[in-house]
Coordinates of all heavy atoms in Angstrom, one line a residue:
M268 N 37.4 -101.1 122.6 CA 37.7 -102.6 122.6 C 38.0 -103.0 121.2 O 38.9 -103.7 120.9 CB 36.5 -103.3 123.2 CG 36.7 -104.8 123.2 SD 37.9 -105.3 124.4 CE 37.3 -106.9 124.6
R269 N 37.1 -102.6 120.2 CA 37.3 -103.0 118.8 C 38.6 -102.5 118.3 O 39.3 -103.3 117.6 CB 36.1 -102.5 118.0 CG 36.2 -102.8 116.5 CD 35.1 -102.1 115.7 NE 34.8 -100.8 116.0 CZ 35.5 -99.7 115.5 NH1 36.4 -99.8 114.7 NH2 35.1 -98.5 115.8
I270 N 38.9 -101.3 118.6 CA 40.2 -100.7 118.1 C 41.4 -101.5 118.6 O 42.4 -101.8 117.9 CB 40.3 -99.2 118.4 CG1 39.2 -98.4 117.6 CG2 41.7 -98.6 118.1 CD1 39.1 -97.0 117.9
A271 N 41.3 -101.8 119.9 CA 42.5 -102.6 120.4 C 42.5 -104.0 119.8 O 43.7 -104.5 119.5 CB 42.2 -102.8 122.0
R272 N 41.4 -104.6 119.5 CA 41.4 -105.9 118.8 C 42.0 -105.8 117.4 O 42.8 -106.6 116.9 CB 40.0 -106.6 118.8 CG 39.6 -107.0 120.2 CD 38.2 -107.6 120.3 NE 38.2 -108.8 119.4 CZ 37.1 -109.3 118.9 NH1 35.9 -108.8 119.1 NH2 37.2 -110.4 118.2
Q273 N 41.6 -104.8 116.7 CA 42.1 -104.5 115.4 C 43.6 -104.3 115.4 O 44.3 -104.9 114.6 CB 41.4 -103.3 114.8 CG 40.0 -103.6 114.4 CD 39.2 -102.3 113.9 OE1 39.7 -101.2 114.1 NE2 38.1 -102.5 113.3
A274 N 44.0 -103.5 116.4 CA 45.5 -103.2 116.5 C 46.3 -104.5 116.8 O 47.3 -104.8 116.2 CB 45.8 -102.2 117.5
A275 N 45.7 -105.3 117.6 CA 46.3 -106.6 118.0 C 46.4 -107.5 116.8 O 47.5 -108.2 116.5 CB 45.6 -107.3 119.2
F276 N 45.3 -107.5 116.0 CA 45.3 -108.4 114.8 C 46.3 -107.9 113.8 O 47.1 -108.6 113.2 CB 43.9 -108.4 114.2 CG 43.9 -109.1 112.9 CD1 43.7 -110.5 112.9 CD2 44.1 -108.5 111.7 CE1 43.7 -111.2 111.8 CE2 44.1 -109.3 110.5 CZ 43.9 -110.6 110.5
L277 N 46.4 -106.5 113.6 CA 47.3 -106.0 112.6 C 48.8 -106.3 113.0 O 49.6 -106.6 112.2 CB 47.1 -104.5 112.4 CG 45.8 -104.2 111.7 CD1 45.6 -102.7 111.7 CD2 45.8 -104.8 110.3
K278 N 49.0 -106.2 114.3 CA 50.4 -106.5 114.8 C 50.7 -108.0 114.6 O 51.8 -108.3 114.2 CB 50.5 -106.1 116.3 CG 51.9 -106.1 116.7 CD 52.0 -105.4 118.1 CE 53.4 -105.1 118.5 NZ 53.6 -104.3 119.7
A279 N 49.8 -108.8 114.9 CA 49.9 -110.3 114.7 C 50.1 -110.6 113.2 O 50.9 -111.4 112.8 CB 48.7 -111.1 115.3
Y280 N 49.4 -109.8 112.3 CA 49.5 -110.0 110.9 C 50.9 -109.7 110.4 O 51.5 -110.4 109.6 CB 48.5 -109.1 110.2 CG 48.6 -109.1 108.7 CD1 48.1 -110.2 108.0 CD2 49.1 -108.0 108.0 CE1 48.1 -110.2 106.6 CE2 49.1 -108.0 106.6 CZ 48.6 -109.1 105.9 OH 48.7 -109.1 104.6
I281 N 51.5 -108.7 111.0 CA 52.9 -108.3 110.7 C 53.8 -109.4 111.1 O 54.7 -109.8 110.4 CB 53.2 -106.9 111.3 CG1 52.4 -105.8 110.7 CG2 54.7 -106.7 111.2 CD1 52.5 -104.5 111.5
H282 N 53.7 -109.8 112.4 CA 54.6 -110.8 112.9 C 54.4 -112.1 112.3 O 55.4 -112.9 112.2 CB 54.3 -111.0 114.5 CG 54.9 -109.9 115.3 ND1 56.2 -109.7 115.6 CD2 54.2 -108.8 115.8 CE1 56.4 -108.6 116.3 NE2 55.2 -108.0 116.5
S283 N 53.3 -112.4 111.7 CA 53.1 -113.6 111.0 C 53.4 -113.6 109.5 O 53.3 -114.4 108.7 CB 51.6 -114.1 111.0 OG 50.8 -113.3 110.2
L284 N 54.1 -112.4 109.2 CA 54.5 -112.1 107.8 C 53.4 -112.2 106.8 O 53.6 -112.8 105.7 CB 55.7 -113.0 107.4 CG 56.9 -113.0 108.4 CD1 58.0 -114.0 108.0 CD2 57.5 -111.5 108.4
G285 N 52.2 -111.7 107.2 CA 51.1 -111.7 106.2 C 50.2 -112.9 106.2 O 49.4 -113.1 105.3
N286 N 50.3 -113.7 107.2 CA 49.4 -114.9 107.2 C 48.2 -114.6 108.1 O 48.2 -114.5 109.3 CB 50.2 -116.1 107.9 CG 49.4 -117.4 107.8 OD1 48.3 -117.4 108.2 ND2 50.1 -118.5 107.4
L287 N 47.1 -114.4 107.3 CA 45.8 -114.0 108.0 C 45.3 -115.1 109.0 O 44.9 -114.7 110.1 CB 44.7 -113.8 107.0 CG 44.8 -112.5 106.2 CD1 43.7 -112.5 105.1 CD2 44.7 -111.3 107.0
A288 N 45.4 -116.3 108.7 CA 44.9 -117.4 109.6 C 45.7 -117.4 110.8 O 45.2 -117.5 111.9 CB 44.9 -118.7 108.9
R289 N 47.1 -117.3 110.7 CA 47.9 -117.4 111.9 C 47.7 -116.1 112.8 O 47.6 -116.3 114.0 CB 49.4 -117.5 111.5 CG 50.3 -117.9 112.6 CD 51.7 -118.1 112.2 NE 52.0 -118.4 110.8 CZ 53.1 -118.3 110.2 NH1 54.1 -117.8 110.8 NH2 53.2 -118.6 108.9
A290 N 47.6 -115.0 112.2 CA 47.3 -113.8 112.9 C 46.0 -113.8 113.7 O 45.9 -113.5 114.9 CB 47.3 -112.6 112.0
A291 N 44.9 -114.3 113.0 CA 43.6 -114.4 113.7 C 43.7 -115.4 114.8 O 43.2 -115.1 115.9 CB 42.6 -114.9 112.6
N292 N 44.4 -116.5 114.6 CA 44.5 -117.5 115.7 C 45.3 -117.0 116.8 O 45.0 -117.2 118.0 CB 45.2 -118.8 115.1 CG 45.2 -119.9 116.1 OD1 44.2 -120.2 116.7 ND2 46.3 -120.6 116.3
E293 N 46.3 -116.2 116.6 CA 47.2 -115.7 117.6 C 46.4 -114.8 118.6 O 46.6 -114.8 119.8 CB 48.4 -114.9 117.0 CG 49.3 -114.4 118.0 CD 50.6 -113.7 117.4 OE1 51.0 -114.2 116.3 OE2 51.0 -112.7 117.9
V294 N 45.5 -114.0 118.0 CA 44.8 -112.9 118.9 C 43.4 -113.4 119.2 O 42.7 -112.7 119.9 CB 44.8 -111.6 118.2 CG1 46.2 -111.0 118.1 CG2 44.1 -111.5 116.9
G295 N 43.0 -114.6 118.7 CA 41.7 -115.1 119.1 C 40.5 -114.4 118.4 O 39.4 -114.2 119.0
V296 N 40.7 -113.9 117.2 CA 39.6 -113.4 116.4 C 39.5 -114.3 115.1 O 40.4 -115.0 114.7 CB 39.7 -111.9 116.0 CG1 39.9 -111.0 117.2 CG2 41.0 -111.7 115.0
S297 N 38.3 -114.2 114.5 CA 38.1 -115.0 113.3 C 38.6 -114.2 112.1 O 38.7 -113.0 112.1 CB 36.6 -115.4 113.1 OG 35.9 -114.2 112.8
R298 N 39.0 -114.9 111.1 CA 39.3 -114.3 109.9 C 38.1 -113.5 109.3 O 38.3 -112.4 108.7 CB 39.8 -115.3 108.8 CG 41.2 -115.8 109.1 CD 41.6 -116.9 108.1 NE 41.3 -116.6 106.8 CZ 41.2 -117.6 105.8 NH1 41.5 -118.8 106.1 NH2 40.9 -117.3 104.6
R299 N 37.0 -114.0 109.6 CA 35.7 -113.3 109.2 C 35.6 -111.9 109.8 O 35.2 -110.9 109.2 CB 34.5 -114.1 109.6 CG 33.2 -113.4 109.3 CD 32.0 -114.3 109.6 NE 31.5 -114.8 108.3 CZ 30.8 -115.8 108.2 NH1 30.3 -116.5 109.3 NH2 30.3 -116.1 107.0
A300 N 36.1 -111.8 111.0 CA 36.2 -110.5 111.7 C 37.0 -109.5 110.9 O 36.7 -108.4 110.7 CB 36.6 -110.6 113.2
H301 N 38.2 -110.0 110.5 CA 39.1 -109.2 109.7 C 38.4 -108.7 108.5 O 38.4 -107.4 108.1 CB 40.4 -109.9 109.3 CG 41.1 -109.4 108.1 ND1 41.8 -108.2 108.2 CD2 41.1 -109.9 106.9 CE1 42.3 -108.0 106.9 NE2 41.9 -109.0 106.2
Y302 N 37.7 -109.5 107.7 CA 37.1 -109.2 106.5 C 35.9 -108.2 106.8 O 35.7 -107.3 106.0 CB 36.6 -110.4 105.7 CG 37.8 -111.2 105.2 CD1 38.1 -112.4 105.6 CD2 38.6 -110.6 104.2 CE1 39.1 -113.2 105.1 CE2 39.7 -111.3 103.7 CZ 39.9 -112.6 104.1 OH 41.0 -113.3 103.6
Y303 N 35.2 -108.4 107.9 CA 34.1 -107.5 108.3 C 34.7 -106.2 108.5 O 34.1 -105.1 108.1 CB 33.4 -108.1 109.5 CG 32.3 -107.2 110.0 CD1 31.0 -107.2 109.4 CD2 32.5 -106.3 111.0 CE1 30.0 -106.4 109.9 CE2 31.5 -105.4 111.5 CZ 30.3 -105.5 110.9 OH 29.3 -104.6 111.3
W304 N 35.7 -106.0 109.3 CA 36.3 -104.8 109.6 C 36.8 -104.1 108.3 O 36.7 -102.9 108.2 CB 37.6 -104.9 110.5 CG 37.2 -105.4 111.9 CD1 36.1 -105.2 112.6 CD2 38.1 -106.1 112.8 NE1 36.2 -105.9 113.8 CE2 37.4 -106.4 114.0 CE3 39.5 -106.6 112.6 CZ2 38.0 -107.1 115.1 CZ3 40.0 -107.3 113.7 CH2 39.3 -107.5 114.9
K305 N 37.4 -104.9 107.5 CA 37.9 -104.3 106.2 C 36.8 -103.7 105.4 O 37.0 -102.7 104.7 CB 38.6 -105.4 105.4 CG 39.9 -105.0 104.7 CD 40.6 -106.2 104.2 CE 40.3 -106.4 102.8 NZ 41.2 -107.4 102.1
E306 N 35.6 -104.4 105.4 CA 34.5 -103.9 104.6 C 33.8 -102.7 105.3 O 33.3 -101.8 104.6 CB 33.5 -105.1 104.4 CG 32.3 -104.7 103.6 CD 31.3 -105.8 103.5 OE1 31.7 -107.0 103.5 OE2 30.1 -105.5 103.4
K307 N 33.7 -102.7 106.6 CA 32.8 -101.8 107.3 C 33.5 -100.6 108.0 O 33.0 -99.6 108.2 CB 32.0 -102.5 108.4 CG 31.1 -103.5 107.9 CD 30.0 -103.0 107.1 CE 29.0 -104.1 106.6 NZ 27.9 -103.7 105.8
D308 N 34.9 -100.8 108.1 CA 35.6 -99.7 108.9 C 36.7 -99.2 107.9 O 37.7 -99.8 107.7 CB 36.3 -100.3 110.1 CG 37.0 -99.4 111.0 OD1 37.5 -98.3 110.5 OD2 37.1 -99.6 112.2
K309 N 36.5 -98.0 107.4 CA 37.4 -97.4 106.4 C 38.8 -97.2 107.0 O 39.8 -97.3 106.2 CB 36.8 -96.1 105.9 CG 35.6 -96.3 105.0 CD 35.1 -95.0 104.5 CE 33.8 -95.2 103.7 NZ 33.2 -94.0 103.2
E310 N 38.8 -96.8 108.2 CA 40.2 -96.5 108.8 C 41.0 -97.9 109.0 O 42.1 -97.9 108.7 CB 40.0 -95.9 110.2 CG 39.6 -94.4 110.1 CD 39.4 -93.8 111.5 OE1 40.1 -94.2 112.4 OE2 38.6 -92.9 111.6
Y311 N 40.3 -98.9 109.4 CA 40.9 -100.2 109.5 C 41.4 -100.7 108.1 O 42.5 -101.2 108.0 CB 40.0 -101.2 110.1 CG 40.6 -102.6 110.1 CD1 41.5 -103.0 111.1 CD2 40.3 -103.5 109.1 CE1 42.1 -104.3 111.1 CE2 40.9 -104.8 109.1 CZ 41.8 -105.1 110.1 OH 42.4 -106.4 110.0
A312 N 40.5 -100.6 107.2 CA 40.8 -100.9 105.8 C 42.1 -100.2 105.3 O 43.0 -100.8 104.7 CB 39.7 -100.8 104.9
A313 N 42.1 -98.9 105.5 CA 43.3 -98.1 105.1 C 44.6 -98.6 105.8 O 45.6 -98.7 105.2 CB 43.0 -96.7 105.3
R314 N 44.5 -98.9 107.1 CA 45.7 -99.3 107.9 C 46.1 -100.7 107.3 O 47.3 -100.9 107.1 CB 45.4 -99.4 109.3 CG 45.2 -98.1 110.0 CD 45.0 -98.3 111.5 NE 44.8 -97.0 112.1 CZ 43.6 -96.6 112.6 NH1 42.6 -97.5 112.6 NH2 43.4 -95.4 113.1
F315 N 45.1 -101.6 107.1 CA 45.5 -102.9 106.6 C 46.2 -102.8 105.2 O 47.2 -103.4 105.0 CB 44.3 -103.8 106.6 CG 44.6 -105.2 105.9 CD1 45.2 -106.1 106.8 CD2 44.3 -105.5 104.7 CE1 45.6 -107.3 106.3 CE2 44.7 -106.7 104.2 CZ 45.3 -107.7 105.0
R316 N 45.6 -102.0 104.3 CA 46.2 -101.8 103.0 C 47.6 -101.2 103.1 O 48.6 -101.7 102.4 CB 45.3 -100.9 102.1 CG 44.2 -101.6 101.5 CD 43.5 -100.7 100.4 NE 43.2 -99.4 100.9 CZ 42.1 -99.0 101.5 NH1 41.1 -100.0 101.7 NH2 41.8 -97.8 101.8
A317 N 47.7 -100.3 103.9 CA 49.1 -99.6 104.1 C 50.1 -100.6 104.6 O 51.2 -100.7 104.1 CB 49.0 -98.4 105.0
I318 N 49.7 -101.4 105.6 CA 50.6 -102.3 106.2 C 51.0 -103.5 105.2 O 52.1 -103.8 105.0 CB 50.0 -103.0 107.5 CG1 50.1 -102.0 108.6 CG2 50.8 -104.3 107.9 CD1 49.2 -102.4 109.8
S319 N 49.9 -103.9 104.4 CA 50.2 -105.0 103.4 C 51.1 -104.4 102.4 O 52.1 -105.2 102.0 CB 48.9 -105.4 102.8 OG 48.1 -106.0 103.7
L320 N 50.9 -103.2 101.9 CA 51.8 -102.6 100.9 C 53.2 -102.5 101.4 O 54.2 -102.8 100.7 CB 51.2 -101.3 100.3 CG 52.0 -100.6 99.3 CD1 52.2 -101.4 98.1 CD2 51.4 -99.3 99.0
Y321 N 53.3 -101.9 102.6 CA 54.6 -101.6 103.2 C 55.4 -102.9 103.4 O 56.5 -103.0 103.1 CB 54.5 -100.9 104.5 CG 55.8 -100.3 104.9 CD1 56.3 -99.1 104.4 CD2 56.6 -101.0 105.9 CE1 57.5 -98.6 104.8 CE2 57.8 -100.5 106.3 CZ 58.2 -99.3 105.8 OH 59.5 -98.8 106.2
M322 N 54.7 -104.0 103.8 CA 55.4 -105.2 104.1 C 55.9 -105.8 102.8 O 57.0 -106.4 102.7 CB 54.4 -106.3 104.7 CG 54.1 -106.0 106.1 SD 52.8 -107.2 106.8 CE 53.7 -108.7 106.7
K323 N 55.2 -105.5 101.7 CA 55.7 -106.0 100.4 C 56.9 -105.2 99.9 O 57.7 -105.8 99.2 CB 54.6 -106.0 99.4 CG 53.4 -106.9 99.6 CD 52.3 -106.7 98.6 CE 51.2 -107.6 99.0 NZ 50.0 -107.3 98.1
T324 N 57.0 -104.0 100.3 CA 58.1 -103.1 99.7 C 59.2 -102.9 100.7 O 60.3 -102.6 100.2 CB 57.5 -101.8 99.3 OG1 56.9 -101.1 100.4 CG2 56.4 -102.0 98.2
R325 N 59.0 -102.9 102.0 CA 60.1 -102.5 102.9 C 60.6 -103.5 103.9 O 61.7 -103.4 104.3 CB 59.6 -101.3 103.8 CG 59.2 -100.2 103.0 CD 60.5 -99.5 102.5 NE 60.2 -98.3 101.7 CZ 60.9 -97.8 100.8 NH1 62.0 -98.4 100.5 NH2 60.5 -96.7 100.1
G326 N 59.8 -104.5 104.2 CA 60.3 -105.6 105.1 C 60.2 -105.3 106.5 O 59.2 -104.8 107.0
S327 N 61.2 -105.6 107.3 CA 61.1 -105.7 108.8 C 60.9 -104.4 109.5 O 60.5 -104.5 110.7 CB 62.4 -106.4 109.3 OG 63.5 -105.6 109.0
N328 N 61.1 -103.3 109.0 CA 60.9 -102.1 109.7 C 59.5 -101.8 110.0 O 59.1 -100.9 110.7 CB 61.6 -100.9 109.0 CG 63.1 -100.9 109.0 OD1 63.6 -101.6 109.9 ND2 63.7 -100.2 108.1
V329 N 58.6 -102.5 109.3 CA 57.2 -102.2 109.5 C 56.7 -102.4 110.9 O 55.9 -101.7 111.4 CB 56.3 -103.1 108.5 CG1 56.4 -104.5 108.9 CG2 55.0 -102.6 108.4
I330 N 57.3 -103.3 111.6 CA 56.9 -103.5 113.0 C 57.2 -102.3 113.9 O 56.3 -101.8 114.6 CB 57.6 -104.8 113.6 CG1 57.2 -106.0 112.9 CG2 57.3 -104.9 115.1 CD1 57.9 -107.3 113.2
Q331 N 58.3 -101.7 113.7 CA 58.6 -100.5 114.5 C 57.7 -99.3 114.1 O 57.2 -98.6 115.0 CB 60.1 -100.1 114.3 CG 60.4 -98.8 115.0 CD 61.9 -98.4 114.7 OE1 62.6 -99.1 114.1 NE2 62.2 -97.2 115.1
I332 N 57.5 -99.2 112.8 CA 56.7 -98.1 112.4 C 55.2 -98.3 112.8 O 54.5 -97.4 113.2 CB 56.7 -98.0 110.8 CG1 58.1 -97.5 110.4 CG2 55.7 -97.1 110.2 CD1 58.4 -97.6 109.0
F333 N 54.7 -99.5 112.8 CA 53.4 -99.8 113.2 C 53.2 -99.5 114.7 O 52.3 -98.9 115.1 CB 53.1 -101.4 113.0 CG 51.7 -101.7 113.5 CD1 50.5 -101.4 112.8 CD2 51.6 -102.4 114.7 CE1 49.3 -101.8 113.3 CE2 50.3 -102.8 115.2 CZ 49.2 -102.5 114.6
D334 N 54.2 -99.9 115.5 CA 54.1 -99.6 117.0 C 54.1 -98.1 117.2 O 53.4 -97.6 118.0 CB 55.4 -100.2 117.7 CG 55.2 -101.7 117.9 OD1 54.1 -102.2 117.9 OD2 56.3 -102.3 118.1
E335 N 54.8 -97.3 116.4 CA 54.8 -95.9 116.5 C 53.5 -95.3 116.2 O 52.9 -94.4 116.8 CB 55.9 -95.2 115.6 CG 57.3 -95.5 116.1 CD 58.4 -95.1 115.1 OE1 58.0 -94.5 114.1 OE2 59.6 -95.4 115.3
H336 N 52.8 -95.8 115.1 CA 51.5 -95.3 114.8 C 50.4 -95.7 115.8 O 49.6 -94.9 116.1 CB 51.1 -95.9 113.4 CG 51.8 -95.2 112.3 ND1 51.5 -93.9 111.9 CD2 52.8 -95.6 111.5 CE1 52.3 -93.5 110.9 NE2 53.1 -94.6 110.6
I337 N 50.5 -96.9 116.3 CA 49.6 -97.3 117.4 C 49.7 -96.4 118.6 O 48.7 -96.0 119.2 CB 49.8 -98.8 117.7 CG1 49.3 -99.6 116.6 CG2 49.0 -99.2 119.0 CD1 47.9 -99.5 116.2
N338 N 50.9 -96.1 119.0 CA 51.2 -95.2 120.1 C 50.5 -93.8 119.9 O 50.0 -93.3 120.8 CB 52.7 -95.1 120.4 CG 53.2 -96.3 121.0 OD1 52.5 -97.2 121.6 ND2 54.5 -96.6 120.9
K339 N 50.7 -93.3 118.7 CA 50.0 -92.0 118.3 C 48.5 -92.2 118.4 O 47.9 -91.2 118.9 CB 50.5 -91.6 116.9 CG 51.9 -91.2 116.9 CD 52.3 -90.8 115.5 CE 53.8 -90.4 115.4 NZ 54.2 -90.1 114.1
I340 N 48.0 -93.2 117.9 CA 46.5 -93.4 117.9 C 46.0 -93.5 119.4 O 45.0 -92.8 119.7 CB 46.1 -94.7 117.2 CG1 46.3 -94.5 115.7 CG2 44.7 -95.1 117.5 CD1 46.2 -95.8 114.9
N341 N 46.8 -94.1 120.2 CA 46.4 -94.3 121.6 C 46.5 -92.9 122.3 O 45.8 -92.7 123.4 CB 47.3 -95.3 122.4 CG 46.9 -96.7 121.9 OD1 45.8 -97.0 121.5 ND2 47.9 -97.6 122.0
E342 N 47.3 -92.0 121.8 CA 47.4 -90.7 122.4 C 46.2 -89.7 122.1 O 46.1 -88.7 122.7 CB 48.7 -90.0 122.1 CG 49.9 -90.8 122.7 CD 51.2 -90.3 122.1 OE1 51.3 -89.3 121.4 OE2 52.3 -90.9 122.5
I343 N 45.5 -90.0 121.0 CA 44.4 -89.2 120.6 C 43.3 -89.2 121.6 O 42.8 -90.3 122.0 CB 43.8 -89.7 119.2 CG1 44.9 -89.6 118.2 CG2 42.6 -88.9 118.8 CD1 44.5 -90.3 116.8
P344 N 42.9 -88.1 122.1 CA 41.8 -88.0 123.1 C 40.5 -88.6 122.5 O 40.2 -88.3 121.4 CB 41.7 -86.6 123.5 CG 42.6 -85.8 122.7 CD 43.4 -86.7 121.8
R345 N 39.8 -89.3 123.3 CA 38.5 -89.8 122.9 C 37.5 -88.7 122.9 O 37.4 -88.0 123.9 CB 38.1 -91.0 123.8 CG 39.0 -92.1 123.8 CD 38.9 -92.9 122.5 NE 39.8 -94.0 122.6 CZ 40.8 -94.3 121.7 NH1 41.1 -93.4 120.8 NH2 41.5 -95.4 121.8
L346 N 36.7 -88.7 121.9 CA 35.7 -87.6 121.8 C 34.6 -87.7 122.9 O 34.0 -86.8 123.4 CB 35.0 -87.6 120.5 CG 35.9 -87.2 119.3 CD1 35.1 -87.3 118.0 CD2 36.5 -85.8 119.4
N347 N 34.2 -88.9 123.3 CA 33.2 -89.2 124.2 C 33.7 -89.2 125.7 O 33.0 -89.3 126.6 CB 32.5 -90.5 124.0 CG 31.8 -90.5 122.6 OD1 31.4 -89.4 122.2 ND2 31.6 -91.6 122.0
K348 N 35.0 -89.1 125.8 CA 35.6 -89.2 127.2 C 35.4 -87.8 127.9 O 35.8 -86.8 127.4 CB 37.1 -89.5 127.1 CG 37.8 -89.8 128.3 CD 39.2 -90.2 128.1 CE 39.9 -90.5 129.4 NZ 41.3 -91.0 129.2
K349 N 34.9 -87.9 129.1 CA 34.7 -86.7 129.9 C 35.9 -86.5 130.8 O 36.5 -87.5 131.3 CB 33.4 -86.8 130.7 CG 32.2 -86.8 129.9 CD 31.0 -87.0 130.7 CE 29.7 -87.0 129.9 NZ 28.5 -87.2 130.7
G350 N 36.3 -85.3 131.0 CA 37.4 -85.1 131.9 C 38.1 -83.9 131.5 O 38.8 -83.1 131.6

């Protein structure tokens, strides 16, 4: 659930062209949640930094690349999943 909310936030961040407040409002999370994730979740922090940097340097292709990365993440088998 947390990973899905983080992915939704990052996608909204991209679509809002880097506006944290707008992204948070769009997905229904607080900006505080973003800062908490950034502080406590190294993977999220790395994704956010990469997206922020890429947005500054590359522009609109970031949305397509983000979607590709999220699809790859969703394909990773869960360690706790039995089956």
Side-chain angles (χ1 to χ4, degrees):
M268 177 75 153
R269 176 183 46 84
I270 292 173
R272 289 179 64 201
Q273 289 174 344
F276 178 84
L277 291 174
K278 195 168 190 175
Y280 177 73
I281 292 165
H282 286 281
S283 71
L284 303 176
N286 185 312
L287 288 174
R289 197 176 334 159
N292 188 47
E293 183 178 322
V294 296
V296 300
S297 67
R298 285 177 39 200
R299 176 177 256 166
H301 158 73
Y302 291 114
Y303 177 83
W304 294 333
K305 221 169 95 169
E306 181 181 330
K307 301 292 183 182
D308 186 333
K309 290 179 183 180
E310 289 181 27
Y311 174 83
R314 286 186 188 108
F315 180 76
R316 279 192 308 272
I318 288 168
S319 295
L320 178 61
Y321 192 83
M322 286 176 66
K323 291 176 186 173
T324 60
R325 296 289 181 207
S327 64
N328 288 342
V329 70
I330 295 170
Q331 178 183 352
I332 291 168
F333 177 77
D334 285 338
E335 290 170 6
H336 285 288
I337 291 300
N338 289 335
K339 287 178 185 176
I340 290 168
N341 289 335
E342 292 172 4
I343 298 172
R345 301 285 184 242
L346 296 176
N347 296 332
K348 189 175 180 180
K349 295 180 181 179

